[in-house]
Amino acid sequence: MTLPVIKTIEDCSNITKTVLPYLPQLEVLRNNIPPPLFFVFNVTFISLAQSILLFLVATPSYVMLLAARHGAQWTTADLIFSRGLVTLVVLEYFADGQQWNYQTAKQQYLKTAKVQGGFDQESLDRGFVTSGLWSLSRHPNFAAEQTIWVVLYMWGCWTSEVVFNWTFVGAMSYLVLFQGSTWFTELITAKKYPDYQQYQARVGKFLPNIFSTGPVFAKAEKKVATAVKGDKRKVSASK
């Protein structure tokens, strides 16, 4: 039961994960709404509501603590739930790491024009990561993060021997927040990177797209597209 508490502390303290990904969205909001309205949003949502939400998603731990005090025993189901949470945390760790490595290599490439970090020039020019876990999901870290708190809620229900309890508020609010923030993030990303719409068509938002076949971006496709553009330029020049 200490895992949810540790995870909540990690989310609150890890600025590279909880703050930096939201800077583009905040900048867009700042530029498109009046300053007084942005101030209200900052105070009510960013500073207050998110802190309350982080508290709510961990409330199943309290239910589990009460159940333990009333004689609930450790069972095979508890072992499965706990191992599942550890697996999800590890999955999120690798997803965040792959994103971090790509962004680090991209920034270095933009500064020095040197391709590093095991990526090729084509991938860095594209502007967003599409390899590793990101070839299966557009947001593997978000998928793992949401699943962690849903599994924790389910664990709390199992321990207290109920199908539904009041801690549902935390998990559901977290899911709603991620739907909105992910939609807004992708709206900005699609406007910034031309290839992102193709990425959206081939890769699922959270879960893998079982109907997609082949690599996300084939080098041959890019060469063909470049050749077509070159032919069009030649035709335009000849006119």
Side-chain angles (χ1 to χ4, degrees):
M1 287 186 289
T2 59
L3 180 63
V5 178
I6 295 174
K7 190 69 178 63
T8 303
I9 295 174
E10 175 195 357
D11 286 346
C12 292
S13 61
N14 190 349
I15 189 170
T16 61
K17 178 179 171 184
T18 59
V19 176
L20 293 183
Y22 295 97
L23 289 181
Q25 294 92 314
L26 293 180
E27 193 63 29
V28 171
L29 286 175
R30 188 192 301 272
N31 294 333
N32 288 275
I33 63 176
L37 186 59
F38 182 80
F39 173 78
V40 173
F41 174 78
N42 190 7
V43 172
T44 57
F45 179 74
I46 299 176
S47 302
L48 180 61
Q50 290 195 105
S51 299
I52 296 175
L53 181 58
L54 287 171
F55 168 78
L56 290 175
V57 292
T59 51
S61 300
Y62 174 70
V63 173
M64 295 162 67
L65 177 62
L66 292 179
R69 288 185 175 181
H70 285 80
Q73 300 297 317
W74 182 267
T75 65
T76 302
D78 295 306
L79 182 65
I80 295 174
F81 277 118
S82 62
R83 296 300 182 270
L85 285 176
V86 171
T87 301
L88 289 168
V89 171
V90 172
L91 179 65
E92 186 175 1
Y93 169 80
F94 280 108
D96 283 336
Q98 290 172 1
Q99 179 69 259
W100 177 269
N101 292 337
Y102 175 83
Q103 295 298 333
T104 301
K106 187 179 77 171
Q107 293 303 318
Q108 189 68 21
Y109 171 67
L110 293 175
K111 291 179 180 179
T112 65
K114 294 182 179 180
V115 178
Q116 299 178 353
F119 299 97
D120 55 33
Q121 183 177 351
E122 179 182 340
S123 299
L124 297 177
D125 284 335
R126 187 176 299 118
F128 55 93
V129 60
T130 61
S131 58
L133 294 171
W134 300 82
S135 66
L136 303 174
S137 168
R138 302 200 301 270
H139 305 280
N141 52 347
F142 288 1
E145 178 76 17
Q146 294 173 87
T147 308
I148 285 171
W149 301 111
V150 172
V151 170
L152 179 63
Y153 166 73
M154 294 171 61
W155 191 4
C157 289
W158 175 272
T159 303
S160 56
E161 299 181 352
V162 297
V163 178
F164 175 86
N165 63 38
W166 61 273
T167 62
F168 172 80
V169 175
M172 177 53 66
S173 299
Y174 211 65
L175 293 179
V176 171
L177 173 63
F178 265 93
Q179 304 315 305
S181 63
T182 303
W183 171 82
F184 193 34
T185 299
E186 293 206 323
L187 185 66
I188 298 172
T189 306
K191 291 181 179 180
K192 186 175 182 180
Y193 303 111
D195 290 337
Y196 196 76
Q197 290 185 353
Q198 182 181 351
Y199 179 56
Q200 288 177 303
R202 293 195 176 190
V203 180
K205 181 186 293 185
F206 298 122
L207 300 177
N209 184 357
I210 60 175
F211 300 104
S212 179
T213 59
V216 179
F217 288 99
K219 292 185 178 181
E221 291 179 356
K222 187 168 184 178
K223 291 180 180 179
V224 171
T226 303
V228 171
K229 289 181 180 179
D231 292 340
K232 289 182 178 179
R233 290 174 183 172
K234 290 180 181 178
V235 172
S236 299
S238 63
K239 291 181 179 179

